Amino acid sequence: FRFTHAITRRPPGSVANGLRAIDTGAPDPALVAQHHAAYVAALRATGATVIELPALDAYPDSLFVEDTALCLPQGAVIMRPGAPSRLGEAAEMEPHLRALYSRIHRIEAPATIEGGDILVTGREILVGTSARTNAAGIAALDAITSRWGHRLRQVHTPPGVLHFKTDCALLDAGTILSTERLAASGCFAGYRVIHTAPGEEAAANVIRFNDAVLMPAGFPATAQRLRDAGYGVTELPNSECAKLDGGMSCLSLRF
Ligand code: CIR
């Protein structure tokens, strides 16, 4: 959870066409841009360098850069999104990571895996199977990261939940914020778990980024639980990305 860098991508004008499981209305592009700027400022406020990539109008979901790659100290892995409309986003990210990493691997078809399903903790890499991430994707990632000395464990994203990290986040090396429905699967045995407050499941997608926990505004009981546990919480507006099932982790690659 200590990072010197983050990569973000400016929201495209086409963002209102982004994928969503349930249509609760289109996000307002101007407001998305405003919220995105506040997110970038919060990352920078921790002292990190933020590389802001230009908008890609051809890809309405391209602001959710987390799904395109996994950045580890040993190298970067280019994902292969399970959403067909997002496949090209990974290729758009690759040259930027090549400029930063000497070791780059690519997940190849028919494997699919999205960064939103991957949680790197202090001791292992947890990957949730989901509608976007298949067994071949997890096996392909494992083949790469095991050579880099990482232990990878396959877990399951709850049914109807987009990504594994829609429902959980790392707060420090051994502590996880999780919805009760995900923690009930037992996947976090051995970790300290803080649950989101009842009715605040959408608060689980936070990021611990240096000294800050960035979380979506509007979940006061969960914010209080985090403050009571000693975390410095920064609440950020996320109403527009939430309409596209996007949250704090999706909006950056952190390394
Ligand atoms: C999608 O459905 O792919 C986007 N609308 C949202 C992606 C959110 N990404 C993430 O949780 N890592």
Side-chain angles (χ1 to χ4, degrees):
F1 55 89
R2 296 269 156 211
F3 303 101
T4 55
H5 288 78
I7 297 178
T8 62
R9 190 181 281 289
R10 293 223 164 96
S14 58
V15 67
N17 300 324
L19 298 172
R20 63 208 81 173
I22 299 166
D23 196 359
T24 59
D28 169 359
L31 205 47
V32 176
Q34 204 180 304
H35 293 176
H36 195 262
Y39 176 84
V40 169
L43 294 175
R44 286 205 171 113
T46 72
T49 300
V50 181
I51 301 166
E52 282 191 274
L53 303 179
L56 291 174
D57 255 343
Y59 299 103
D61 285 298
S62 54
L63 67 167
F64 303 119
V65 284
E66 170 174 69
D67 295 317
T68 65
L70 177 66
C71 296
L72 292 169
Q74 298 82 2
V77 184
I78 308 297
M79 299 285 122
R80 189 165 178 277
S85 68
R86 302 197 60 192
L87 269 172
E89 293 176 34
E92 291 282 353
M93 183 59 69
E94 188 171 333
H96 302 290
L97 293 176
R98 284 204 180 272
L100 295 162
Y101 284 93
S102 53
R103 284 203 276 195
I104 301 266
H105 288 265
R106 221 185 273 138
I107 304 289
E108 308 284 356
T112 68
I113 182 165
E114 297 190 354
D117 283 314
I118 305 171
L119 182 74
V120 180
T121 78
R123 54 186 89 144
E124 60 185 336
I125 301 175
L126 296 173
V127 191
T129 53
S130 72
R132 303 287 181 84
T133 292
N134 60 25
I138 297 176
L141 181 64
D142 191 19
I144 297 162
T145 56
S146 62
R147 273 185 269 137
W148 291 347
H150 294 274
R151 192 155 55 97
L152 184 149
R153 181 156 61 97
Q154 180 176 315
V155 290
H156 299 287
T157 303
V161 173
L162 175 61
H163 286 128
F164 184 63
K165 276 189 299 184
T166 305
D167 266 36
C168 66
L170 188 76
L171 292 172
D172 58 44
T175 310
I176 286 170
L177 174 68
S178 176
T179 59
E180 292 194 26
R181 68 185 169 208
L182 175 58
S185 72
C187 63
F188 300 128
Y191 290 91
R192 181 166 81 114
V193 176
I194 297 176
H195 289 132
T196 52
E200 293 192 355
E201 285 69 25
N205 185 262
V206 308
I207 52 168
R208 172 76 192 272
F209 191 77
N210 298 325
D211 286 337
V213 173
L214 309 190
M215 75 173 290
F219 303 101
T222 303
Q224 193 57 47
R225 287 183 183 192
L226 293 174
R227 290 193 176 102
D228 289 346
Y231 297 102
V233 174
T234 303
E235 293 176 74
L236 291 167
N238 192 52
S239 59
E240 303 314 288
C241 286
K243 294 173 187 168
L244 302 178
D245 309 317
M248 298 292 116
S249 77
C250 331
L251 293 169
S252 57
L253 285 172
R254 302 164 291 278
F255 50 98

